[in-house]
Amino acid sequence: MTDNTLDTFDIIDPITGEHKQISGPRNQIAALKKLADFVETGDQDSVPNATREALDTGLPAFEVLMNGLQAGLAVVGDRFKRDIAFIPEVLVTARAMQRGMEILKPLLAPEGKKPKGIVVLGTVKGDLHDIGKLMVGIMLEGDGYEVHDLGVNVPPEVFLENVIEVEADLMGMSALLSTTMMMHRETIKYITEKGCRDKVKIMSGGAPVTGKFAQEIGADGFAADAASAVAVANKLITPGWNGGFIDGVKLSTNAA
Ligand code: B1M
């Protein structure tokens, strides 16, 4: 017999840092809480099964990602911000989250379809944060893009080499540090100096990046999260797109 009793779960939005409450059938909320707990405690071995169990309750993969895996990381991220958790704990948590993302990836990004566009994605030079960028990549793949993820600490010349090699339609740069977001400007400057700026559309993103900053440095678009990154990409690769700057925040506000 299905248990329709509702339950709630308090989670921290990893982007805004605000607390919010989600609710749903008791078995689904219990599965999300269990998964978030394993991520929070860095229990890498238990995360894959807990991810499958959450999916088995009928939760969509995207919800398991946001309200299970990411909810666990956000708790440790919040402690890190308040100086009560340190790099080793954050790293262990991040790895645990990645074990769950491996299970979700094929569900969010089915293989075998002709790509709607080619994307080169990376975290810029000097920056080692990759979880948000991985999420952006998974969401883009899920929407039908072929994604070439160059990883972290990617110098401008490597971005450009790959854009040329795979004939990318779109290049996505991520940064999580207020220092390394300046590498977005340097990377665009380098591509422009090499005479290749008109070969590819460029999207800038990551926690410290704003639409205003992205526009100022000469990017074509900005997205604040993985879901809006897809919406921005779709606009930017529209045939005949007139080249105006796309701010993902404004896009979602207008759509609402
Ligand atoms: Co770091 N770290 N970290 N860290 N870390 C932050 C970012 C920080 C905010 C924590 C804090 O407040 N103190 C702070 C930066 C402060 C600042 O500059 N503004 C910080 C710092 C200072 C550091 C070190 C310098 C610490 C030190 O050594 N003293 C160091 C730097 C290392 C380096 O990069 N050179 C460091 C190291 C690390 C770890 C290695 C331990 C680990 C990274 C592990 C990994 O990624 N594999 C880590 C982590 C995990 C964090 C926090 C806790 C979480 C980041 C994260 O993954 N968030 C973070 C604090 C926090 O945010 N609570 C912190 C979840 C992720 C889903 O969100 O990445 O924002 P996010 O991605 C979102 C959006 O931003 C957007 O979509 C994503 C999904 O919705 N997005 C894009 C991201 N990229 C995009 C690209 C796009 C579009 C959208 O288009 C292309």
Side-chain angles (χ1 to χ4, degrees), residues 70 81 87 90 126 128-130 132 172 174 176-178 206-207 223-226:
Q70 194 174 268
K81 268 191 182 160
I87 289 183
V90 182
L128 303 176
H129 296 86
D130 69 350
S174 179
L176 262 283
L177 301 172
S178 32
D225 56 50

Side-chain angles (χ1 to χ4, degrees), residues 173-227:
M173 294 183 289
S174 179
L176 262 283
L177 301 172
S178 32
T179 46
T180 56
M181 73 189 232
M182 299 307 162
M183 272 318 288
H184 286 210
R185 186 196 299 276
E186 294 308 310
T187 306
I188 292 177
K189 198 168 151 229
Y190 177 83
I191 291 173
T192 308
E193 281 167 5
K194 294 287 170 193
C196 298
R197 182 62 188 88
D198 59 346
K199 286 197 190 314
V200 69
K201 294 280 193 286
I202 299 181
M203 173 161 58
S204 173
V209 178
T210 62
K212 186 168 176 279
F213 173 80
Q215 189 163 16
E216 269 169 22
I217 63 170
D220 298 298
F222 158 75
D225 56 50

Side-chain angles (χ1 to χ4, degrees), residues 100-253:
M101 282 167 73
E102 285 161 17
I103 309 280
L104 297 180
K105 190 174 170 180
L107 302 172
L108 291 162
E111 288 174 12
K113 283 195 205 150
K114 188 179 176 297
K116 63 154 82 160
I118 300 179
V119 184
V120 161
L121 189 64
T123 302
V124 291
K125 186 175 171 184
D127 199 317
L128 303 176
H129 296 86
D130 69 350
I131 297 171
K133 184 252 315 158
L134 286 170
M135 285 174 64
V136 170
I138 290 175
M139 296 296 287
L140 285 170
E141 282 181 356
D143 200 58
Y145 287 87
E146 176 182 315
V147 175
H148 298 260
D149 189 335
L150 308 181
V152 296
N153 195 21
V154 181
E157 53 281 13
V158 175
F159 270 112
L160 182 55
E161 271 164 29
N162 281 275
V163 162
I164 293 169
E165 190 182 320
V166 304
E167 297 181 22
D169 304 294
L170 181 67
M171 187 186 103
M173 294 183 289
S174 179
L176 262 283
L177 301 172
S178 32
T179 46
T180 56
M181 73 189 232
M182 299 307 162
M183 272 318 288
H184 286 210
R185 186 196 299 276
E186 294 308 310
T187 306
I188 292 177
K189 198 168 151 229
Y190 177 83
I191 291 173
T192 308
E193 281 167 5
K194 294 287 170 193
C196 298
R197 182 62 188 88
D198 59 346
K199 286 197 190 314
V200 69
K201 294 280 193 286
I202 299 181
M203 173 161 58
S204 173
V209 178
T210 62
K212 186 168 176 279
F213 173 80
Q215 189 163 16
E216 269 169 22
I217 63 170
D220 298 298
F222 158 75
D225 56 50
S228 64
V230 173
V232 173
N234 287 341
K235 273 269 180 203
L236 289 175
I237 68 148
T238 305
W241 172 245
N242 68 10
F245 180 82
I246 298 287
D247 187 325
V249 175
K250 293 188 182 141
L251 206 62
S252 50
T253 315

